[in-house]
Amino acid sequence: MRELTYLEAVREAMSQEMRANEDVFILGEDIGVYGGAFGVTRGMIEEFGPERIRNTPISEAAISGTAIGAALTGMRPILELQFSDFITIAMDNMVNQAAKLRYMYGGEGKVPMVLRTPAGSGTGAAAQHSQSLEAWMTHVPGLKVVQPSTAYDAKGLLKAAIDDDNPVVFYEHKLCYRTKSDVPEEVYSIPLGKADIKREGSDLTIVATALMVHKSLEAAVELAKEGISVEVVDPRTLVPLDEETIIKSVKKTGRLIVAHEAVKRGGFGGEIASIIAESEAFDYLDAPIKRLGGKAVPIPYNPELEKAAIPQVNDIIEAVKETLKGV
């Protein structure tokens, strides 16, 4: 099987869906000849033309409003925001319109749109271009939230998101764009709400999202050299969330760490910890649940400070050892 980068997998998923369905189109800033802020749509305008790869003015409110209106008329727009931080400008449209219209119309209207956007730190893009705000979106009924960590998952999940009749926010971590994995050339779909066990283990479960999946896997390799067996669970979608797989893993290992890049305070890790505390898995815990998240600071521009603001591999290794000691 051939390898693709995460970026190429996202592009391939969109291209295949656009070839199969003329109602699918993309809109966003500089997505035409320039190919988008990270080059995800590069080359697509040559195949699909400016009517379906639509450059927009610099207005996230206008872009999201246009996408919602198009979706209501039966189109299936894919909206690209250059940085996930800019979702704050589209917040009213996403929270008060896209998320609620199907409910308010009694199911008569649908909003089948995907908001794709790069998130996370690690590129030196500083405080206004490096945040992880996915927990905000998970709080809003009516929105689905996806966070793929691999190229294979990105392609399959994006097809599922485009096919979905509800608004989906699709977070792509910037540092995942250049990572590679085996990706089938044919069209395939990964159901939203199905987690993936990225590594089997028996001593402790790490539930990790996006880039933290890769860091957790790296930590697991190092810990295995010391005889510590770590299971890494990637939810892949936060809404809907595959609670069953997470609960089953914690019942098996008896210990849980949640790792995400977003600020720990108010982050999605608290939701996962609460799910375990309210489930039968709580009786299987041999140590307190530990959360690893970003520090409550704006992401710094300085590369060393930027690294210090979010969990690194050594932080995960240390947290695992502390949890195994029952600290």
Side-chain angles (χ1 to χ4, degrees):
M1 188 183 299
R2 82 237 161 105
E3 278 193 336
L4 285 186
T5 66
Y6 185 107
L7 184 152
E8 291 167 336
V10 170
R11 181 191 297 142
E12 184 165 272
M14 293 191 294
S15 296
Q16 289 179 337
E17 290 306 292
M18 291 181 70
R19 290 174 196 135
N21 186 347
E22 291 187 353
D23 291 336
V24 180
F25 71 101
I26 308 174
L27 69 167
E29 299 158 4
D30 296 327
I31 63 168
V33 174
Y34 186 66
F38 291 86
V40 178
T41 58
R42 190 164 296 153
M44 294 185 72
I45 195 168
E46 283 79 3
E47 178 177 358
F48 300 104
E51 290 295 314
R52 300 183 70 193
I53 307 293
R54 298 185 72 96
N55 276 323
T56 67
I58 304 174
S59 170
E60 286 73 17
I63 304 167
S64 55
T66 302
I68 293 166
L72 283 168
T73 67
M75 303 295 285
R76 307 190 84 86
I78 303 169
L79 155 62
E80 178 178 302
L81 291 188
Q82 289 188 329
F83 292 87
S84 70
D85 315 69
F86 303 163
I87 203 169
T88 54
I89 306 169
M91 206 67 161
D92 179 60
N93 279 332
M94 294 304 298
V95 174
N96 286 326
Q97 307 303 332
K100 296 178 172 62
L101 288 174
R102 191 173 188 182
Y103 171 81
M104 294 173 71
Y105 290 164
E108 294 298 318
K110 297 184 294 188
V111 189
M113 61 175 282
V114 180
L115 188 160
R116 287 185 38 249
T117 187
S121 66
T123 60
Q128 297 168 324
H129 300 75
S130 303
Q131 298 171 87
S132 298
L133 303 175
E134 63 275 4
W136 288 9
M137 297 296 107
T138 66
H139 188 69
V140 181
L143 295 180
K144 296 185 178 182
V145 181
V146 182
Q147 265 193 318
S149 65
T150 68
Y152 177 87
D153 290 350
K155 180 177 174 180
L157 289 166
L158 185 51
K159 173 173 172 49
I162 295 169
D163 290 343
D164 202 288
D165 283 337
N166 300 285
V168 179
V169 182
F170 197 89
Y171 285 102
E172 301 161 9
H173 197 288
K174 303 179 192 82
L175 294 190
C176 290
Y177 274 146
R178 302 298 173 188
T179 61
K180 289 185 175 181
S181 62
D182 292 338
V183 179
E185 192 166 350
E186 62 268 22
V187 174
Y188 63 93
S189 180
I190 296 174
L192 305 184
K194 183 61 180 172
D196 185 40
I197 298 175
K198 289 289 194 282
R199 180 187 175 100
E200 300 251 2
S202 57
D203 293 329
L204 182 145
T205 297
I206 300 178
V207 175
T209 59
L211 186 65
M212 284 299 152
V213 173
H214 298 276
K215 292 185 176 180
S216 297
L217 289 171
E218 190 176 337
V221 169
E222 293 303 313
L223 289 161
K225 297 174 184 175
E226 301 179 37
I228 299 171
S229 175
V230 171
E231 181 150 298
V232 179
V233 178
D234 178 1
R236 301 196 290 196
T237 63
L238 304 186
V239 181
L241 179 67
D242 183 357
E243 298 182 14
E244 182 181 352
T245 295
I246 295 171
I247 290 170
K248 186 177 178 182
S249 176
V250 175
K251 287 173 69 176
K252 181 178 77 170
T253 66
R255 299 174 179 87
L256 171 64
I257 291 174
V258 186
H260 57 65
E261 185 172 324
V263 171
K264 177 180 173 181
R265 183 183 66 202
F268 196 71
E271 178 67 19
I272 293 176
S274 296
I275 288 168
I276 295 302
E278 294 171 354
S279 75
E280 69 270 22
F282 180 77
D283 294 329
Y284 291 76
L285 287 175
D286 295 321
I289 299 168
K290 188 179 287 294
R291 291 180 296 149
L292 288 176
K295 292 182 170 56
V297 297
I299 298 296
Y301 173 73
N302 178 286
E304 293 305 316
L305 293 177
E306 184 181 30
K307 287 180 184 175
I310 64 170
Q312 301 296 329
V313 173
N314 286 339
D315 298 317
I316 297 171
I317 291 173
E318 184 179 343
V320 169
K321 291 181 177 178
E322 287 179 355
T323 302
L324 288 172
K325 291 177 185 174
V327 176

